[in-house]
Amino acid sequence: MMRISLLAGSLAALILAPQAQAQARSGLEATITRTTFGIPHITADTWRGVGYGVAYAYAQDNLCLLAEEFATVAGERSRHFGPEAKAVLGFQEVDNLSSDVFFRGVIDLPMLRAGFADQGREARGLAEGYVAGYNRFLKDAGADGIPAECRGKAWVRPISLDDVLRLTEKQMLLASSLVLAPGIANATPPGTPLAAASVPVNQALPRPGEVGLGSNGWAFGGEATANGRGLVIGNPHFPWNGPSRFWQLHVTGPEGYDVMGVGIAGTPIPTLGFNRDVAWTHTVTAARHFTLHALTLDPADPTRYMLDGESVAMEPRTVSVPMPDGTPEVTRTLYTTRFGPVFVAPQSGVNWSAGMAFALNDANRGNQRAIDTWLRIGQARNVGEIEAAVSETLGIPWVNTIAADRNGDALHADVTAVPNVSAQLIAACSTPLSPLFASLATLLDGSRSECDWEAAPGTSEPGLMPASDQAATVVRSYLTNSNDSYWLSNPRLPHPALSPILGKHESALSLRTRSNFTETEALLAAGTIDHERAKAMAFANKSLAADMVMEPLLALCADAAEPAETTARGCAALAGWDRRYEADSRGAALFRAFWSKVGQRNDLWAVPFDPADPVSTPRDLATAKVGDKLLAALGEAAAELDAAGIALDAPWGEVQRWTANGEAIPIHGGPGTAGVLNYQDARPAPGGGLVPVHGTSYIQIVGFDADGPVADAILSYSQSTDPASPHYADQTRAYAAKQWHRLPFDAEEIAAQTIGETRRITE
């Protein structure tokens, strides 16, 4: 019997050996362990295995969202959802036809495929594994295992590497080309009819503050922390719906890679998080990642432009967009130039005329360096290695990098893929129209080749600004950013002036930035920072605008002889407000409505901005000049709330709510324009009240002890977009209750929080 057993075992080993070898060669093997709140811990021995496991786990939580995103970047939304419905491109809604034309006309697959072939083995393995992992989940789920929201839909399909390349390219363009996607998709030469022009299109330039990007980030060095090690607070402000939602994950991969944090749809590794030695976060930078170019057209042909006195033909690209069954395809021709695609914004007066057109040149087009950069950040042992990663690759697309390490050093690096355009070139190449575009972008003369981006030696791509001309600072005190420019990341350490394309210098700060500095300085004046004090600051829900305005406003109320009835009720409601955006704060909704009417007034403050005192100016409400207007605005705000059925003193948590499977969850946090650090941008909800659409998302507080990272975090909108998932709203309830979660990083911590069985996938 023993001989028979040994023989059987030998035969089994011979049969299974080639199978195991094939799996080892393919690298498609990973384990997925879930812990509290459904956070997946993906372990793999190869980079292909990492991508494989991450894609599988993400599809478990957000399949319908990701499948729809693949349809978006393939330019197939009109076919599946109709041309007039909306797509979410970055942080704005765009009609499906414009979205499809943009992705079919602007995404250059041959260029992306060539770039992919030149990437490192790590990035290639991650992408290839991601394709396999997504497709494996579809196979395992079968028709009946697809979530109800997208079950049986044609757009839920297996993907290829092209889909991942398109999605990655979209992510790189979120804060640049996507902002003008409708204008690119609907640009036609004068006299040329626009196919399917009946589809309503928003073709206006975004106004300042409308792009929808935000975040707060802090890096505290050893001089500011209780234990002398670094500490990071990450508070990115991202959408509550759509493909830019964050998703938590922990990846243990080859070559010592061990990183926990978050990514967005399609990201194969954490792009914001921590390892054993460093923690980092990102905030959207004030730098501009594209330039606009005014083209002087050939009088004989509006599809030709003059460059250095010579007529140059634009490059046409004709695309066809499939429509729903039975409807003919829509065909359009887009035009591109040396400076990028032509765009229009008729609602803002930007047209393609017989004599002039405008082109957009994007520094992040074809940026396939980002994953390599984040891989290097994830493997960094100190902030110096993080600075080297972002500087040498120039792969970070549109965000600041804010980091601290266990040694007690803190970093703020506003180093990204940005056009190499100096102040001198901007001055020499401006046009009479440049001031009209100044709030959105830098407009340069497109009739001279000398006005193109300058080539600098040693950059990863020609025309990018070298890191040495951008801003990076390392200290042992603290550095922070709330989306203002590189100029101030610590009010005691102003940065010298750099190119205007990197942001404004010695200009007025946003109220959120001023609130950041005010609260941070006050916190440190009272002692060093630790996790508990960091938590209290992150969720304090104070409004700097209220602190600056309420006393003089209430004095106006008291002095008003015969205020209008709505104004009088507004005064009474605000008198009882605690000046915060807590769930139980009464009067917060009224101040939000009031501030939206007066906060941007040019005559609001008696003391103007002073670059020598940027945190405290402008200040002092100019009541003598605008007092009557402020009271009138308060009355209008009260009337607005009356019309919306919202009591003037309603608890904020009864006004701002997130509804999950019929449960209304009160959401604390308020408008960043009112100087609230815990920013929530809310919009009217269908059933009344307000619903958050953008703002505080993944909040992490990461420090270090002798053994490794110590991380508290919460994801405000939870892991899954599937209403049937137990992790559809569990963290949302925790966020509402200001409960934090100690993240499990080591094996013992993971074992203690494990839920369900570990899943091993291989093929």
Side-chain angles (χ1 to χ4, degrees):
M1 290 294 293
M2 183 175 291
R3 292 180 61 189
I4 295 174
S5 298
L6 289 172
L7 179 61
S10 300
L11 288 172
L14 288 172
I15 293 169
L16 293 175
Q19 208 173 355
Q21 290 169 2
Q23 289 169 0
R25 285 195 301 270
S26 74
L28 296 178
E29 182 175 357
T31 61
I32 303 169
T33 300
R34 299 270 183 172
T35 57
T36 304
F37 294 128
I39 298 172
H41 302 256
I42 298 105
T43 302
D45 293 331
T46 68
W47 294 111
R48 284 169 60 87
V50 169
Y52 184 63
V54 170
Y56 194 97
Y58 188 88
Q60 287 178 311
D61 292 339
N62 297 290
L63 175 67
C64 296
L65 182 155
L66 187 54
E68 184 175 340
E69 186 68 349
F70 285 130
T72 297
V73 298
E76 297 176 345
R77 291 193 63 87
S78 295
R79 169 194 286 169
H80 298 299
F81 308 106
E84 297 188 15
K86 301 291 185 180
V88 177
L89 296 195
F91 305 96
Q92 64 174 335
E93 285 192 338
V94 175
D95 67 280
N96 284 342
L97 179 55
S98 294
S99 172
D100 290 341
V101 172
F102 175 84
F103 283 108
R104 288 175 176 255
V106 173
I107 300 294
D108 187 341
L109 266 178
M111 176 189 71
L112 296 179
R113 291 167 181 158
F116 178 79
D118 291 337
Q119 286 186 277
R121 61 178 177 81
E122 299 92 344
R124 293 198 311 273
L126 287 168
E128 292 165 354
Y130 202 93
V131 172
Y134 180 87
N135 292 340
R136 170 63 185 273
F137 176 80
L138 290 183
K139 178 181 176 182
D140 286 356
D144 295 336
I146 302 299
E149 285 67 31
C150 60
R151 188 175 301 149
K153 304 297 184 182
W155 43 272
V156 181
R157 56 167 176 80
I159 61 169
S160 69
L161 182 61
D162 283 351
D163 292 294
V164 170
L165 294 178
R166 290 189 193 103
L167 181 53
T168 301
E169 179 78 340
K170 179 198 172 188
Q171 292 171 349
M172 296 301 101
L173 303 179
L174 283 177
S176 46
S177 291
L178 282 188
V179 175
L180 293 174
I184 295 171
N186 292 280
T188 59
T192 304
L194 185 65
S198 61
V199 174
V201 178
N202 178 15
Q203 289 179 262
L205 296 176
R207 292 179 293 182
E210 271 193 349
V211 178
L213 306 170
S215 300
N216 306 314
W218 293 262
F220 294 92
E223 295 175 359
T225 63
N227 67 358
R229 303 180 188 274
L231 184 143
V232 164
I233 306 175
N235 177 206
H237 301 151
F238 265 56
W240 280 54
N241 290 299
S244 293
R245 283 172 49 112
F246 283 121
W247 178 73
Q248 292 177 269
L249 70 164
H250 178 195
V251 170
T252 304
E255 302 166 31
Y257 186 88
D258 192 7
V259 180
M260 193 169 190
V262 291
I264 60 176
T267 305
I269 55 173
T271 55
L272 185 161
F274 59 92
N275 64 22
R276 291 192 178 276
D277 299 305
V278 301
W280 78 97
T281 189
H282 293 301
T283 62
V284 175
T285 174
R288 291 170 169 175
H289 299 88
F290 62 92
T291 54
L292 306 181
H293 298 258
L295 307 174
T296 300
L297 302 183
D298 186 333
D301 184 349
T303 65
R304 301 181 68 90
Y305 59 104
M306 305 304 296
L307 186 66
D308 299 331
E310 300 290 331
S311 177
V312 180
M314 298 178 183
E315 179 185 341
R317 183 173 185 183
T318 300
V319 298
S320 295
V321 178
M323 294 289 114
D325 291 343
T327 307
E329 291 185 333
V330 171
T331 300
R332 286 191 188 166
T333 300
L334 306 184
Y335 291 84
T336 194
T337 71
R338 167 191 177 125
F339 304 106
V342 177
F343 75 94
V344 296
Q347 295 166 358
S348 298
V350 179
N351 296 293
W352 187 345
S353 67
M356 179 174 287
F358 299 88
L360 181 150
N361 199 4
D362 196 327
N364 277 306
R365 185 169 182 265
N367 178 4
Q368 294 174 288
R369 306 176 304 281
I371 289 297
D372 284 326
T373 308
W374 277 309
L375 278 168
R376 287 183 59 178
I377 291 174
Q379 293 169 313
R381 294 163 295 179
N382 53 61
V383 298
E385 292 182 1
I386 293 179
E387 183 182 354
V390 301
S391 299
E392 292 166 10
T393 63
L394 295 177
I396 294 295
W398 35 265
V399 288
N400 296 279
T401 302
I402 299 161
D405 61 32
R406 66 167 45 256
N407 304 318
D409 289 322
L411 166 73
H412 172 215
D414 191 346
V415 178
T416 58
V418 68
N420 191 24
V421 178
S422 65
Q424 293 76 18
L425 186 143
I426 292 172
C429 292
S430 65
T431 78
L433 295 176
S434 294
L436 301 178
F437 290 84
S439 65
L440 172 69
T442 300
L443 176 68
L444 303 174
D445 186 352
S447 68
R448 294 180 285 156
S449 57
E450 65 188 17
C451 293
D452 204 347
W453 303 348
E454 299 169 301
T459 57
S460 53
E461 291 290 334
L464 295 183
M465 182 177 288
S468 57
D469 291 339
Q470 301 186 55
T473 306
V474 176
V475 300
R476 292 187 64 81
S477 53
Y478 82 90
L479 299 165
T480 183
N481 181 266
S482 290
N483 310 120
D484 269 305
S485 85
Y486 67 91
W487 171 43
L488 285 182
S489 49
N490 182 318
R492 295 183 176 85
L493 302 170
H495 199 287
L498 299 172
S499 169
I501 204 164
L502 296 172
K504 296 178 180 179
H505 190 262
E506 295 192 344
S507 294
L509 306 173
S510 73
L511 277 183
R512 182 158 51 87
T513 294
R514 292 171 63 185
S515 178
N516 182 337
F517 287 139
T518 300
E519 297 303 317
T520 302
E521 291 284 325
L523 181 145
L524 294 178
T528 53
I529 190 170
D530 58 16
H531 278 63
E532 293 308 311
R533 300 189 73 214
K535 292 176 187 177
M537 183 176 73
F539 285 166
N541 292 317
K542 294 181 180 179
S543 167
L544 179 60
D547 289 343
M548 297 171 69
V549 165
M550 283 299 301
E551 291 301 329
L553 179 61
L554 292 177
L556 284 173
C557 286
D559 293 341
E562 295 183 8
E565 186 267 342
T566 51
T567 300
R569 290 194 298 114
C571 290
L574 287 184
W577 180 39
D578 62 6
R579 305 179 191 181
R580 296 185 183 232
Y581 280 83
E582 305 285 8
D584 59 357
S585 296
R586 293 179 176 272
L590 177 60
F591 188 81
R592 174 185 179 274
F594 164 74
W595 191 248
S596 71
K597 299 179 181 301
V598 305
Q600 298 302 313
R601 291 186 65 99
N602 295 325
D603 55 0
L604 191 61
W605 306 110
V607 177
F609 170 71
D610 179 357
D613 188 14
V615 178
S616 299
T617 61
R619 67 171 184 270
D620 297 348
L621 203 60
T623 52
K625 182 186 296 185
V626 298
D628 291 344
K629 296 181 177 64
L630 296 178
L631 290 177
L634 181 57
E636 292 169 8
E640 248 179 40
L641 264 61
D642 288 342
I646 299 172
L648 303 191
D649 63 347
W652 180 237
E654 292 182 8
V655 178
Q656 182 171 264
R657 298 169 295 178
W658 180 257
T659 302
N661 292 329
E663 175 190 2
I665 303 172
I667 301 299
H668 58 91
T673 53
V676 181
L677 290 176
N678 187 24
Y679 166 46
Q680 294 294 358
D681 179 17
R683 306 289 167 83
L690 300 170
V691 60
V693 296
H694 185 98
T696 290
S697 51
Y698 170 71
I699 314 99
Q700 67 170 16
I701 297 172
V702 186
F704 302 92
D705 62 17
D707 298 321
V710 179
D712 293 310
I714 205 69
L715 183 64
S716 64
Y717 38 63
S718 305
Q719 281 282 87
S720 178
T721 50
D722 180 2
S725 168
H727 308 299
Y728 179 60
D730 51 355
Q731 289 198 70
T732 311
R733 298 184 194 97
Y735 169 80
K738 294 189 178 182
Q739 294 173 352
W740 294 79
H741 174 215
R742 178 61 54 90
L743 296 180
F745 189 77
D746 289 333
E748 288 185 6
E749 297 167 341
I750 293 169
Q753 290 194 31
T754 295
I755 55 176
E757 295 184 359
T758 293
R759 177 76 180 268
R760 177 176 176 270
I761 53 173
T762 185
E763 60 184 88

